[in-house]
Amino acid sequence: GDSVTQMEGPVTLSEEAFLTINCTYTATGYPSLFWYVQYPGEGLQLLLKATKADDKGSNKGFEATYRKETTSFHLEKGSVQVSDSAVYFCALDRDDKIIFGKGTRLHILP
Amino acid sequence: DAMVIQNPRYQVTQFGKPVTLSCSQTLNHNVMYWYQQKSSQAPKLLFHYYDKDFNNEADTPDNFQSRRPNTSFCFLDIRSPGLGDAAMYLCATSRDSGAHYEQYFGPGTRLTVT
């Protein structure tokens, strides 16, 4: 069945470092792809999404590009802040349902 | 602010003692979802309501039931909680079904079974 695999955490970076969180997917057809973020004590929030190959989703300085050839949707940010500390979930849409990866916890040190 | 509210945030129940988790929304969305998230695992969809139509996932145990008495409220009932049911339970809503409609999540209820 369809699935999402993302890099295991926790990931610890210093403030202003470059961030990459890897995500690959397995799916038939061309699902929509998402990144969700969960800040401490809060629910999941949609961070960005891409609906077709080569689309780039972006929000709050984060970017991810839908790569059909590598079945990937890696999350990147050029300069992270302490406030970016959270758990990040890669996900895909299949038959109106969202399938999530296990999440990657990100710690940003000041 | 319009939002998805879950009560309580933390719930402790005894093995085999029925428990109900609550979700309410002020978004007037048609669809309400319940997910189970165990430690270090992906959120897993249990079921969802499209308006009053209930949609159960094939692998959701019969021990889990849900009620949606009106648009705003949805309840998750666990009839006989086992130790394996300890998890975070997430409620979400969306205006309609499909990838074009964002799901809005509540903060979750962490369930402990003793």
Side-chain angles (χ1 to χ4, degrees), chain B residues 4-33:
Chain B
V4 181
I5 301 163
Q6 291 190 244
N7 286 308
R9 295 290 306 273
Y10 301 90
Q11 175 74 58
V12 180
T13 191
Q14 292 177 337
F15 183 94
K17 184 175 181 181
V19 66
T20 295
L21 309 182
S22 168
C23 177
S24 64
Q25 53 127 342
T26 60
L27 298 159
N28 203 34
H29 283 174
N30 288 322
V31 192
M32 294 188 77
Y33 306 82

PDB file of all heavy atoms in Angstrom, chain B residues 4-33:
ATOM      1  N   VAL B   4     -10.500  23.938  16.461  1.00  0.00           N
ATOM      2  CA  VAL B   4     -10.883  22.578  16.810  1.00  0.00           C
ATOM      3  C   VAL B   4     -10.438  22.360  18.259  1.00  0.00           C
ATOM      4  O   VAL B   4      -9.272  22.554  18.586  1.00  0.00           O
ATOM      5  CB  VAL B   4     -10.224  21.559  15.872  1.00  0.00           C
ATOM      6  CG1 VAL B   4     -10.649  20.142  16.247  1.00  0.00           C
ATOM      7  CG2 VAL B   4     -10.572  21.859  14.420  1.00  0.00           C
ATOM      8  N   ILE B   5     -11.389  21.990  19.082  1.00  0.00           N
ATOM      9  CA  ILE B   5     -11.142  21.884  20.520  1.00  0.00           C
ATOM     10  C   ILE B   5     -11.308  20.433  20.938  1.00  0.00           C
ATOM     11  O   ILE B   5     -12.296  19.782  20.558  1.00  0.00           O
ATOM     12  CB  ILE B   5     -12.146  22.757  21.300  1.00  0.00           C
ATOM     13  CG1 ILE B   5     -12.013  24.224  20.844  1.00  0.00           C
ATOM     14  CG2 ILE B   5     -11.905  22.644  22.808  1.00  0.00           C
ATOM     15  CD1 ILE B   5     -13.197  25.078  21.240  1.00  0.00           C
ATOM     16  N   GLN B   6     -10.366  19.953  21.721  1.00  0.00           N
ATOM     17  CA  GLN B   6     -10.467  18.591  22.224  1.00  0.00           C
ATOM     18  C   GLN B   6     -10.432  18.606  23.747  1.00  0.00           C
ATOM     19  O   GLN B   6      -9.592  19.284  24.344  1.00  0.00           O
ATOM     20  CB  GLN B   6      -9.327  17.724  21.681  1.00  0.00           C
ATOM     21  CG  GLN B   6      -9.448  17.464  20.188  1.00  0.00           C
ATOM     22  CD  GLN B   6      -8.458  16.428  19.717  1.00  0.00           C
ATOM     23  OE1 GLN B   6      -7.576  16.725  18.913  1.00  0.00           O
ATOM     24  NE2 GLN B   6      -8.616  15.199  20.186  1.00  0.00           N
ATOM     25  N   ASN B   7     -11.340  17.864  24.320  1.00  0.00           N
ATOM     26  CA  ASN B   7     -11.404  17.735  25.772  1.00  0.00           C
ATOM     27  C   ASN B   7     -11.562  16.282  26.180  1.00  0.00           C
ATOM     28  O   ASN B   7     -12.271  15.527  25.521  1.00  0.00           O
ATOM     29  CB  ASN B   7     -12.597  18.523  26.326  1.00  0.00           C
ATOM     30  CG  ASN B   7     -12.336  20.010  26.307  1.00  0.00           C
ATOM     31  OD1 ASN B   7     -11.321  20.474  26.798  1.00  0.00           O
ATOM     32  ND2 ASN B   7     -13.259  20.753  25.727  1.00  0.00           N
ATOM     33  N   PRO B   8     -10.920  15.894  27.263  1.00  0.00           N
ATOM     34  CA  PRO B   8      -9.882  16.646  27.950  1.00  0.00           C
ATOM     35  C   PRO B   8      -8.563  16.554  27.189  1.00  0.00           C
ATOM     36  O   PRO B   8      -8.455  15.818  26.217  1.00  0.00           O
ATOM     37  CB  PRO B   8      -9.788  15.926  29.303  1.00  0.00           C
ATOM     38  CG  PRO B   8     -10.099  14.502  28.964  1.00  0.00           C
ATOM     39  CD  PRO B   8     -11.137  14.553  27.861  1.00  0.00           C
ATOM     40  N   ARG B   9      -7.552  17.282  27.592  1.00  0.00           N
ATOM     41  CA  ARG B   9      -6.243  17.168  26.957  1.00  0.00           C
ATOM     42  C   ARG B   9      -5.525  15.908  27.437  1.00  0.00           C
ATOM     43  O   ARG B   9      -4.733  15.309  26.698  1.00  0.00           O
ATOM     44  CB  ARG B   9      -5.395  18.389  27.272  1.00  0.00           C
ATOM     45  CG  ARG B   9      -5.952  19.680  26.692  1.00  0.00           C
ATOM     46  CD  ARG B   9      -5.829  19.718  25.169  1.00  0.00           C
ATOM     47  NE  ARG B   9      -4.464  19.478  24.749  1.00  0.00           N
ATOM     48  CZ  ARG B   9      -3.540  20.422  24.629  1.00  0.00           C
ATOM     49  NH1 ARG B   9      -3.833  21.676  24.932  1.00  0.00           N
ATOM     50  NH2 ARG B   9      -2.319  20.120  24.213  1.00  0.00           N
ATOM     51  N   TYR B  10      -5.780  15.520  28.667  1.00  0.00           N
ATOM     52  CA  TYR B  10      -5.190  14.304  29.225  1.00  0.00           C
ATOM     53  C   TYR B  10      -6.305  13.510  29.888  1.00  0.00           C
ATOM     54  O   TYR B  10      -7.110  14.061  30.627  1.00  0.00           O
ATOM     55  CB  TYR B  10      -4.107  14.645  30.261  1.00  0.00           C
ATOM     56  CG  TYR B  10      -2.982  15.472  29.689  1.00  0.00           C
ATOM     57  CD1 TYR B  10      -3.048  16.865  29.713  1.00  0.00           C
ATOM     58  CD2 TYR B  10      -1.876  14.865  29.110  1.00  0.00           C
ATOM     59  CE1 TYR B  10      -2.023  17.627  29.174  1.00  0.00           C
ATOM     60  CE2 TYR B  10      -0.846  15.621  28.570  1.00  0.00           C
ATOM     61  CZ  TYR B  10      -0.933  17.004  28.604  1.00  0.00           C
ATOM     62  OH  TYR B  10       0.073  17.758  28.063  1.00  0.00           O
ATOM     63  N   GLN B  11      -6.316  12.220  29.604  1.00  0.00           N
ATOM     64  CA  GLN B  11      -7.346  11.349  30.160  1.00  0.00           C
ATOM     65  C   GLN B  11      -6.684  10.066  30.646  1.00  0.00           C
ATOM     66  O   GLN B  11      -5.917   9.445  29.914  1.00  0.00           O
ATOM     67  CB  GLN B  11      -8.391  11.017  29.095  1.00  0.00           C
ATOM     68  CG  GLN B  11      -9.450  10.034  29.518  1.00  0.00           C
ATOM     69  CD  GLN B  11     -10.447  10.651  30.463  1.00  0.00           C
ATOM     70  OE1 GLN B  11     -11.091  11.635  30.158  1.00  0.00           O
ATOM     71  NE2 GLN B  11     -10.570  10.047  31.639  1.00  0.00           N
ATOM     72  N   VAL B  12      -6.999   9.711  31.902  1.00  0.00           N
ATOM     73  CA  VAL B  12      -6.518   8.448  32.449  1.00  0.00           C
ATOM     74  C   VAL B  12      -7.737   7.564  32.682  1.00  0.00           C
ATOM     75  O   VAL B  12      -8.728   8.003  33.276  1.00  0.00           O
ATOM     76  CB  VAL B  12      -5.752   8.651  33.768  1.00  0.00           C
ATOM     77  CG1 VAL B  12      -5.271   7.317  34.315  1.00  0.00           C
ATOM     78  CG2 VAL B  12      -4.578   9.603  33.563  1.00  0.00           C
ATOM     79  N   THR B  13      -7.682   6.346  32.220  1.00  0.00           N
ATOM     80  CA  THR B  13      -8.763   5.408  32.445  1.00  0.00           C
ATOM     81  C   THR B  13      -8.178   4.064  32.864  1.00  0.00           C
ATOM     82  O   THR B  13      -6.993   3.797  32.654  1.00  0.00           O
ATOM     83  CB  THR B  13      -9.639   5.244  31.200  1.00  0.00           C
ATOM     84  OG1 THR B  13     -10.828   4.528  31.540  1.00  0.00           O
ATOM     85  CG2 THR B  13      -8.911   4.476  30.097  1.00  0.00           C
ATOM     86  N   GLN B  14      -9.044   3.256  33.428  1.00  0.00           N
ATOM     87  CA  GLN B  14      -8.596   1.934  33.866  1.00  0.00           C
ATOM     88  C   GLN B  14      -8.836   0.916  32.756  1.00  0.00           C
ATOM     89  O   GLN B  14      -9.727   1.074  31.903  1.00  0.00           O
ATOM     90  CB  GLN B  14      -9.355   1.522  35.127  1.00  0.00           C
ATOM     91  CG  GLN B  14      -9.013   2.363  36.335  1.00  0.00           C
ATOM     92  CD  GLN B  14      -9.838   1.958  37.546  1.00  0.00           C
ATOM     93  OE1 GLN B  14     -10.911   1.376  37.424  1.00  0.00           O
ATOM     94  NE2 GLN B  14      -9.337   2.280  38.736  1.00  0.00           N
ATOM     95  N   PHE B  15      -8.048  -0.112  32.776  1.00  0.00           N
ATOM     96  CA  PHE B  15      -8.202  -1.217  31.846  1.00  0.00           C
ATOM     97  C   PHE B  15      -9.658  -1.688  31.848  1.00  0.00           C
ATOM     98  O   PHE B  15     -10.209  -2.012  32.890  1.00  0.00           O
ATOM     99  CB  PHE B  15      -7.264  -2.359  32.264  1.00  0.00           C
ATOM    100  CG  PHE B  15      -7.271  -3.528  31.334  1.00  0.00           C
ATOM    101  CD1 PHE B  15      -6.347  -3.641  30.325  1.00  0.00           C
ATOM    102  CD2 PHE B  15      -8.209  -4.548  31.491  1.00  0.00           C
ATOM    103  CE1 PHE B  15      -6.337  -4.733  29.473  1.00  0.00           C
ATOM    104  CE2 PHE B  15      -8.223  -5.647  30.650  1.00  0.00           C
ATOM    105  CZ  PHE B  15      -7.280  -5.740  29.642  1.00  0.00           C
ATOM    106  N   GLY B  16     -10.277  -1.708  30.674  1.00  0.00           N
ATOM    107  CA  GLY B  16     -11.641  -2.198  30.547  1.00  0.00           C
ATOM    108  C   GLY B  16     -12.734  -1.208  30.888  1.00  0.00           C
ATOM    109  O   GLY B  16     -13.927  -1.498  30.673  1.00  0.00           O
ATOM    110  N   LYS B  17     -12.396  -0.025  31.378  1.00  0.00           N
ATOM    111  CA  LYS B  17     -13.410   0.955  31.751  1.00  0.00           C
ATOM    112  C   LYS B  17     -13.705   1.873  30.567  1.00  0.00           C
ATOM    113  O   LYS B  17     -12.798   2.566  30.082  1.00  0.00           O
ATOM    114  CB  LYS B  17     -12.946   1.772  32.944  1.00  0.00           C
ATOM    115  CG  LYS B  17     -13.983   2.749  33.457  1.00  0.00           C
ATOM    116  CD  LYS B  17     -13.510   3.441  34.732  1.00  0.00           C
ATOM    117  CE  LYS B  17     -14.570   4.410  35.239  1.00  0.00           C
ATOM    118  NZ  LYS B  17     -14.124   5.106  36.467  1.00  0.00           N
ATOM    119  N   PRO B  18     -14.963   1.930  30.112  1.00  0.00           N
ATOM    120  CA  PRO B  18     -15.278   2.758  28.933  1.00  0.00           C
ATOM    121  C   PRO B  18     -14.852   4.204  29.129  1.00  0.00           C
ATOM    122  O   PRO B  18     -14.931   4.764  30.220  1.00  0.00           O
ATOM    123  CB  PRO B  18     -16.802   2.655  28.833  1.00  0.00           C
ATOM    124  CG  PRO B  18     -17.148   1.396  29.533  1.00  0.00           C
ATOM    125  CD  PRO B  18     -16.139   1.240  30.645  1.00  0.00           C
ATOM    126  N   VAL B  19     -14.424   4.809  28.039  1.00  0.00           N
ATOM    127  CA  VAL B  19     -13.988   6.206  28.078  1.00  0.00           C
ATOM    128  C   VAL B  19     -14.468   6.900  26.804  1.00  0.00           C
ATOM    129  O   VAL B  19     -14.562   6.276  25.734  1.00  0.00           O
ATOM    130  CB  VAL B  19     -12.449   6.284  28.222  1.00  0.00           C
ATOM    131  CG1 VAL B  19     -11.749   5.727  26.995  1.00  0.00           C
ATOM    132  CG2 VAL B  19     -12.002   7.704  28.513  1.00  0.00           C
ATOM    133  N   THR B  20     -14.787   8.182  26.948  1.00  0.00           N
ATOM    134  CA  THR B  20     -15.230   8.993  25.813  1.00  0.00           C
ATOM    135  C   THR B  20     -14.348  10.223  25.696  1.00  0.00           C
ATOM    136  O   THR B  20     -14.123  10.933  26.679  1.00  0.00           O
ATOM    137  CB  THR B  20     -16.693   9.431  25.980  1.00  0.00           C
ATOM    138  OG1 THR B  20     -17.533   8.276  25.949  1.00  0.00           O
ATOM    139  CG2 THR B  20     -17.109  10.388  24.870  1.00  0.00           C
ATOM    140  N   LEU B  21     -13.862  10.454  24.487  1.00  0.00           N
ATOM    141  CA  LEU B  21     -13.101  11.660  24.178  1.00  0.00           C
ATOM    142  C   LEU B  21     -13.969  12.569  23.317  1.00  0.00           C
ATOM    143  O   LEU B  21     -14.733  12.102  22.473  1.00  0.00           O
ATOM    144  CB  LEU B  21     -11.808  11.297  23.443  1.00  0.00           C
ATOM    145  CG  LEU B  21     -10.939  10.226  24.100  1.00  0.00           C
ATOM    146  CD1 LEU B  21      -9.662  10.010  23.294  1.00  0.00           C
ATOM    147  CD2 LEU B  21     -10.628  10.561  25.532  1.00  0.00           C
ATOM    148  N   SER B  22     -13.784  13.864  23.506  1.00  0.00           N
ATOM    149  CA  SER B  22     -14.668  14.841  22.881  1.00  0.00           C
ATOM    150  C   SER B  22     -13.917  15.750  21.931  1.00  0.00           C
ATOM    151  O   SER B  22     -12.755  16.110  22.181  1.00  0.00           O
ATOM    152  CB  SER B  22     -15.332  15.680  23.972  1.00  0.00           C
ATOM    153  OG  SER B  22     -15.971  16.804  23.439  1.00  0.00           O
ATOM    154  N   CYS B  23     -14.576  16.127  20.858  1.00  0.00           N
ATOM    155  CA  CYS B  23     -14.035  17.081  19.898  1.00  0.00           C
ATOM    156  C   CYS B  23     -15.149  18.021  19.472  1.00  0.00           C
ATOM    157  O   CYS B  23     -16.270  17.588  19.183  1.00  0.00           O
ATOM    158  CB  CYS B  23     -13.482  16.346  18.678  1.00  0.00           C
ATOM    159  SG  CYS B  23     -12.848  17.448  17.385  1.00  0.00           S
ATOM    160  N   SER B  24     -14.843  19.299  19.431  1.00  0.00           N
ATOM    161  CA  SER B  24     -15.809  20.265  18.920  1.00  0.00           C
ATOM    162  C   SER B  24     -15.109  21.216  17.967  1.00  0.00           C
ATOM    163  O   SER B  24     -13.899  21.426  18.054  1.00  0.00           O
ATOM    164  CB  SER B  24     -16.480  21.045  20.058  1.00  0.00           C
ATOM    165  OG  SER B  24     -15.525  21.818  20.753  1.00  0.00           O
ATOM    166  N   GLN B  25     -15.889  21.804  17.058  1.00  0.00           N
ATOM    167  CA  GLN B  25     -15.309  22.708  16.065  1.00  0.00           C
ATOM    168  C   GLN B  25     -16.245  23.885  15.834  1.00  0.00           C
ATOM    169  O   GLN B  25     -17.467  23.738  15.876  1.00  0.00           O
ATOM    170  CB  GLN B  25     -15.057  21.955  14.755  1.00  0.00           C
ATOM    171  CG  GLN B  25     -16.280  21.219  14.208  1.00  0.00           C
ATOM    172  CD  GLN B  25     -16.612  21.556  12.778  1.00  0.00           C
ATOM    173  OE1 GLN B  25     -16.175  22.567  12.239  1.00  0.00           O
ATOM    174  NE2 GLN B  25     -17.416  20.693  12.149  1.00  0.00           N
ATOM    175  N   THR B  26     -15.619  25.022  15.606  1.00  0.00           N
ATOM    176  CA  THR B  26     -16.377  26.240  15.313  1.00  0.00           C
ATOM    177  C   THR B  26     -16.227  26.648  13.859  1.00  0.00           C
ATOM    178  O   THR B  26     -16.564  27.767  13.483  1.00  0.00           O
ATOM    179  CB  THR B  26     -15.920  27.389  16.224  1.00  0.00           C
ATOM    180  OG1 THR B  26     -14.512  27.616  15.990  1.00  0.00           O
ATOM    181  CG2 THR B  26     -16.140  27.058  17.695  1.00  0.00           C
ATOM    182  N   LEU B  27     -15.696  25.736  13.043  1.00  0.00           N
ATOM    183  CA  LEU B  27     -15.421  26.033  11.640  1.00  0.00           C
ATOM    184  C   LEU B  27     -16.603  25.712  10.735  1.00  0.00           C
ATOM    185  O   LEU B  27     -16.572  26.038   9.549  1.00  0.00           O
ATOM    186  CB  LEU B  27     -14.189  25.241  11.187  1.00  0.00           C
ATOM    187  CG  LEU B  27     -12.889  25.584  11.921  1.00  0.00           C
ATOM    188  CD1 LEU B  27     -11.889  24.455  11.804  1.00  0.00           C
ATOM    189  CD2 LEU B  27     -12.305  26.867  11.373  1.00  0.00           C
ATOM    190  N   ASN B  28     -17.592  25.019  11.286  1.00  0.00           N
ATOM    191  CA  ASN B  28     -18.750  24.579  10.502  1.00  0.00           C
ATOM    192  C   ASN B  28     -18.354  23.687   9.318  1.00  0.00           C
ATOM    193  O   ASN B  28     -18.947  23.757   8.233  1.00  0.00           O
ATOM    194  CB  ASN B  28     -19.559  25.781  10.008  1.00  0.00           C
ATOM    195  CG  ASN B  28     -21.005  25.416   9.704  1.00  0.00           C
ATOM    196  OD1 ASN B  28     -21.590  24.563  10.372  1.00  0.00           O
ATOM    197  ND2 ASN B  28     -21.578  26.036   8.687  1.00  0.00           N
ATOM    198  N   HIS B  29     -17.341  22.856   9.555  1.00  0.00           N
ATOM    199  CA  HIS B  29     -16.866  21.969   8.501  1.00  0.00           C
ATOM    200  C   HIS B  29     -17.727  20.717   8.411  1.00  0.00           C
ATOM    201  O   HIS B  29     -18.262  20.232   9.406  1.00  0.00           O
ATOM    202  CB  HIS B  29     -15.411  21.560   8.762  1.00  0.00           C
ATOM    203  CG  HIS B  29     -14.438  22.623   8.412  1.00  0.00           C
ATOM    204  ND1 HIS B  29     -13.092  22.510   8.686  1.00  0.00           N
ATOM    205  CD2 HIS B  29     -14.598  23.815   7.785  1.00  0.00           C
ATOM    206  CE1 HIS B  29     -12.469  23.584   8.239  1.00  0.00           C
ATOM    207  NE2 HIS B  29     -13.362  24.396   7.685  1.00  0.00           N
ATOM    208  N   ASN B  30     -17.793  20.177   7.180  1.00  0.00           N
ATOM    209  CA  ASN B  30     -18.613  18.992   6.956  1.00  0.00           C
ATOM    210  C   ASN B  30     -17.968  17.716   7.480  1.00  0.00           C
ATOM    211  O   ASN B  30     -18.656  16.781   7.880  1.00  0.00           O
ATOM    212  CB  ASN B  30     -18.871  18.809   5.455  1.00  0.00           C
ATOM    213  CG  ASN B  30     -19.840  19.834   4.915  1.00  0.00           C
ATOM    214  OD1 ASN B  30     -20.804  20.201   5.584  1.00  0.00           O
ATOM    215  ND2 ASN B  30     -19.586  20.299   3.709  1.00  0.00           N
ATOM    216  N   VAL B  31     -16.657  17.663   7.437  1.00  0.00           N
ATOM    217  CA  VAL B  31     -15.962  16.404   7.699  1.00  0.00           C
ATOM    218  C   VAL B  31     -15.221  16.490   9.027  1.00  0.00           C
ATOM    219  O   VAL B  31     -14.569  17.500   9.316  1.00  0.00           O
ATOM    220  CB  VAL B  31     -14.957  16.064   6.579  1.00  0.00           C
ATOM    221  CG1 VAL B  31     -14.470  14.626   6.735  1.00  0.00           C
ATOM    222  CG2 VAL B  31     -15.576  16.258   5.201  1.00  0.00           C
ATOM    223  N   MET B  32     -15.353  15.432   9.821  1.00  0.00           N
ATOM    224  CA  MET B  32     -14.604  15.328  11.080  1.00  0.00           C
ATOM    225  C   MET B  32     -13.919  13.971  11.125  1.00  0.00           C
ATOM    226  O   MET B  32     -14.518  12.953  10.769  1.00  0.00           O
ATOM    227  CB  MET B  32     -15.513  15.513  12.295  1.00  0.00           C
ATOM    228  CG  MET B  32     -16.087  16.927  12.372  1.00  0.00           C
ATOM    229  SD  MET B  32     -16.989  17.273  13.895  1.00  0.00           S
ATOM    230  CE  MET B  32     -15.636  17.532  15.061  1.00  0.00           C
ATOM    231  N   TYR B  33     -12.664  13.987  11.560  1.00  0.00           N
ATOM    232  CA  TYR B  33     -11.810  12.796  11.549  1.00  0.00           C
ATOM    233  C   TYR B  33     -11.324  12.500  12.962  1.00  0.00           C
ATOM    234  O   TYR B  33     -11.083  13.405  13.759  1.00  0.00           O
ATOM    235  CB  TYR B  33     -10.553  13.033  10.693  1.00  0.00           C
ATOM    236  CG  TYR B  33     -10.775  13.502   9.284  1.00  0.00           C
ATOM    237  CD1 TYR B  33     -11.000  14.849   9.002  1.00  0.00           C
ATOM    238  CD2 TYR B  33     -10.711  12.621   8.221  1.00  0.00           C
ATOM    239  CE1 TYR B  33     -11.177  15.294   7.699  1.00  0.00           C
ATOM    240  CE2 TYR B  33     -10.871  13.056   6.909  1.00  0.00           C
ATOM    241  CZ  TYR B  33     -11.107  14.391   6.656  1.00  0.00           C
ATOM    242  OH  TYR B  33     -11.264  14.831   5.368  1.00  0.00           O
TER     243      TYR B  33
END
